């Protein structure tokens, strides 16, 4: 299955508690079809005192969101858009927004 988003992309959350949020993708978990988006779906984790956290306590971490709940942001309109994949003349695979704007190269030509 082709992935619409990659690590480092700017995406818009289209469903759930963070709906309407525009943020950056920190990680893509392909085996579970999930993404971790910066400052979306934050939860508290209780940690024991350790060298990394000498005081212990509660820290906030981002949890994953299903990949179907995010859309890549079109750089021209700054809104979420659907994506299609096009193979160029040289053999490179590109992501194209529905209005024809190039979002990014998925695979470079050999």
């Amino acid at each position: 299955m082709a992935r619409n988003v990659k690590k480092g992309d700017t995406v818009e959350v289209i469903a759930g508690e963070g709906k309407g949020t525009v943020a950056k993708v920190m990680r893509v978990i392909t085996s579970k079809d999930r993404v971790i988006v910066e400052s979306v779906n934050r939860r508290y984790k209780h940690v024991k005192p350790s060298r990394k956290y000498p005081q212990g306590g509660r820290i906030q971490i981002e949890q994953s969101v299903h990949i179907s709940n995010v859309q890549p942001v079109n750089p021209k309109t700054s809104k979420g858009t659907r994506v299609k994949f096009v193979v160029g003349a040289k053999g490179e695979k590109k992501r194209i927004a529905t209005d024809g704007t190039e979002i990014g190269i998925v695979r470079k030509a050999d």
Side-chain angles (χ1 to χ4, degrees):
M1 180 178 177
R3 304 277 182 250
N4 296 350
V5 295
K6 298 188 325 184
K7 178 181 175 180
D9 281 351
T10 304
V11 295
E12 180 181 3
V13 180
I14 58 171
E17 190 177 321
K19 183 176 182 177
T21 306
V22 176
K24 187 176 166 186
V25 174
M26 295 170 47
R27 184 173 163 212
V28 178
I29 306 167
T30 55
S31 61
K32 296 183 179 180
D33 288 336
R34 298 183 79 81
V35 292
I36 296 177
V37 183
E38 194 173 39
S39 71
V40 174
N41 198 17
R42 294 177 65 90
R43 299 286 183 252
Y44 282 104
K45 180 178 179 182
H46 296 79
V47 292
K48 286 183 169 183
S50 63
R51 283 190 180 180
K52 189 172 182 183
Y53 303 104
Q55 290 292 312
R58 298 180 349 162
I59 59 169
Q60 278 197 325
I61 58 171
E62 283 92 4
Q63 294 291 320
S64 63
V65 184
H66 198 269
I67 200 164
S68 66
N69 294 337
V70 297
Q71 278 186 336
V73 171
N74 187 341
K76 192 192 303 184
T77 62
S78 300
K79 292 184 180 179
T81 184
R82 291 182 178 219
V83 174
K84 62 183 176 179
F85 294 91
V86 176
V87 178
K90 295 180 181 177
E92 71 276 3
K93 188 175 181 182
K94 297 179 182 179
R95 290 181 297 163
I96 307 290
T98 52
D99 67 349
T101 307
E102 184 178 321
I103 292 179
I105 295 175
V106 178
R107 185 187 68 234
K108 294 184 179 180
D110 293 328

